[in-house]
């Protein structure tokens, strides 16, 4: 038997004796603390899983509780695979109806071009003395102060720099036959907004006299013009390609000319509502599955009152009537949501489509009406989620229990260290006494052997 430092004097294995005595008193109690901590950790993990499932379900409930979900509109354009000649954006006030729309004219800005004989080079000087050039578009005008010795190229750069805030730009075109054309373009659309140029306050060089600015003209098709669309046989004008008031609730943007009228159907945003309800059903089923797993026989949350109360409240809300008095539907089970024997939900798309086609507003009332399911569930789940929700309150309680148990274990370990120190002190004294007695015995034996 190996002998440690404790017992070296007596020759006894006092080290093992101390270890066994400490272990006999310590190990069982420490294991109880450790088992208790493991149970708390398992409970905390289970509450985390439950909390995540509740949060996920709450997110779908919030999506279902948004008024804009049911007030949204969808636009169907019967133009096949062709590139659309216009776009339509509805708002929640748009009526669900069908329209025939055709773009017959696009709005565009105007363009001025110099006479063919005015210039042959971009480096030609326009004016040697300078002056003022006035550009006007409809009721708006602005002036450009032209410096002496300004060339055609320099004037182009000046117009581009000073005219950009007015939607005006200039360019030079060389036809390759010795003619340079000066063009000025305005992007301001609408009839009556054709670009005009006044050079009466600008002294022109002889090369440009009677040619350049006085000779600038609007080419055929270069005038600013309105846009026209035809809505159900009615011609509608706009000074831009946007038609915000042609049909109430619809913003129409003309993109290109239509070869023929296009059928446009405005419907409720049925697909998005359907997808949101399907997500709600799926999240509810996930939540129920977590509840069952967490509270099964032998599971750490078996008998948990929070889960029991929430499960009961959810079932009660689903079974309640959330319709208005004049609704053809009494509950969500009339509009495509079915309750299964195992407590989960299923979604019947055909039943949902029939309900929406029959009365979309009543379907919406079931979820977001004054007594709607989504509103009720949203309020109910507020008691369980968030920093002050019941689930976090339970987690805080478990965390406190973990902290208290860890503190108790630390205190007990400290007491065990003191107990071991006390044993070592006592056995050290005993070892010294036994060593002295052994020494005395050895001395007496040696004396007796000499007699």
């Amino acid at each position: 038997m190996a002998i440690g430092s404790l017992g070296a004097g007596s020759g006894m294995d006092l080290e093992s004796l101390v270890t066994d005595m400490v272990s006999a008193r310590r190990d069982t109690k420490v294991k109880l603390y450790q088992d208790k901590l493991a149970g708390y950790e398992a409970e905390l993990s289970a509450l985390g899983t439950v909390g995540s499932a509740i949060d996920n379900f709450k997110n779908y409930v919030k999506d279902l509780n948004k008024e804009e979900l049911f007030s949204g509109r969808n636009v169907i354009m019967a133009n096949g695979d062709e590139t659309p000649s216009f776009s339509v954006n509805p708002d929640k006030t748009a009526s669900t109806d069908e329209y025939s729309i055709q773009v017959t004219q696009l709005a565009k800005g105007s363009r001025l071009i110099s006479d063919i004989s005015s210039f042959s080079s971009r480096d030609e000087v326009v004016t040697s003395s300078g002056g003022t050039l006035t550009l006007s578009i409809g009721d708006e005008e602005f002036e450009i102060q032209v410096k002496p010795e300004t060339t055609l190229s320099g004037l182009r750069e000046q117009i581009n720099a000073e005219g950009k805030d007015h939607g005006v730009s200039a360019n030079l075109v060389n036809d390759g036959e010795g003619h340079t054309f000066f063009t000025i373009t305005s992007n301001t659309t609408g009839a009556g907004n054709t670009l005009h140029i006044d050079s009466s306050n600008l002294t022109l060089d002889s090369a440009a006299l009677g040619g350049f600015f006085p000779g600038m003209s609007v080419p055929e098709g270069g005038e600013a013009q309105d846009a026209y669309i035809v809505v159900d046989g009615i011609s509608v004008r706009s000074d831009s390609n946007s038609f915000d008031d042609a049909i109430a609730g619809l913003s129409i943007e003309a993109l290109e000319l239509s070869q023929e009228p296009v059928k446009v159907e405005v419907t409720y945003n049925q697909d998005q509502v359907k997808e949101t309800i399907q997500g709600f059903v799926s999240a509810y089923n996930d939540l129920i599955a977590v509840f069952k797993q967490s509270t099964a026989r032998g599971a750490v949350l078996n008998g948990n009152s929070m889960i029991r109360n929430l499960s009961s409240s959810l079932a009660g809300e689903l079974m309640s009537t959330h319709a208005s008095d004049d609704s053809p539907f009494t509950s969500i089970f009339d509009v495509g949501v079915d309750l299964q024997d195992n407590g989960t939900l299923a979604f019947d798309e055909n039943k949902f489509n029939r309900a929406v086609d029959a009365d979309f507003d009543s379907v919406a009332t079931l979820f977001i009406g004054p007594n709607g399911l989504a509103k009720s569930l949203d309020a109910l789940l507020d008691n369980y989620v968030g920093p002050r929700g019941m689930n976090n309150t339970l987690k805080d309680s478990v965390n406190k229990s973990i902290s208290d148990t860890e503190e108790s274990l630390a205190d007990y370990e400290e007491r065990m260290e003191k107990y071991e120190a006390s044993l070592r002190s006592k056995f050290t004294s005993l070892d010294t006494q036994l060593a002295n007695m052994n020494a005395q015995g050895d001395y007496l034996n040696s004396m007796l052997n000499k007699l």
Side-chain angles (χ1 to χ4, degrees), residues 114-121 124-128 133 146 150-152 155 180 182 199 202-216:
S114 64
D115 185 84
I116 190 171
S117 61
S118 295
F119 288 94
S120 60
S121 170
E124 291 184 35
V125 174
V126 175
T127 173
S128 58
L133 191 64
V146 183
T150 296
T151 64
L152 197 60
L155 183 61
T180 296
F182 190 81
S199 61
L202 177 66
T203 302
L204 303 172
D205 282 8
S206 59
L209 286 176
F212 178 45
F213 294 116
M216 291 199 78

Side-chain angles (χ1 to χ4, degrees), residues 287-316:
L287 179 63
I288 296 304
V290 169
F291 283 174
K292 288 182 177 180
Q293 181 180 2
S294 302
T295 59
R297 185 185 297 273
V300 67
L301 294 180
N302 179 261
N304 181 276
S305 60
M306 179 196 72
I307 295 178
R308 184 172 59 251
N309 292 338
L310 179 53
S311 297
S312 176
S313 297
L314 289 174

Side-chain angles (χ1 to χ4, degrees), residues 165-177:
D165 293 336
H166 304 276
V168 173
S169 61
N171 208 349
L172 292 170
V173 179
N174 190 319
D175 66 359
E177 297 182 2

Side-chain angles (χ1 to χ4, degrees), residues 57 279-289 311 314-315 318 343-345:
F57 180 59
F280 165 85
V281 168
S282 178
Y284 179 85
N285 292 340
D286 290 343
L287 179 63
I288 296 304
S311 297
L314 289 174
L318 290 174
T344 61
L345 300 177

Side-chain angles (χ1 to χ4, degrees), residues 152-171:
L152 197 60
S153 178
L155 183 61
R156 168 184 172 272
E157 294 176 1
Q158 190 174 356
I159 291 176
N160 285 338
E162 299 181 27
K164 61 182 180 181
D165 293 336
H166 304 276
V168 173
S169 61
N171 208 349

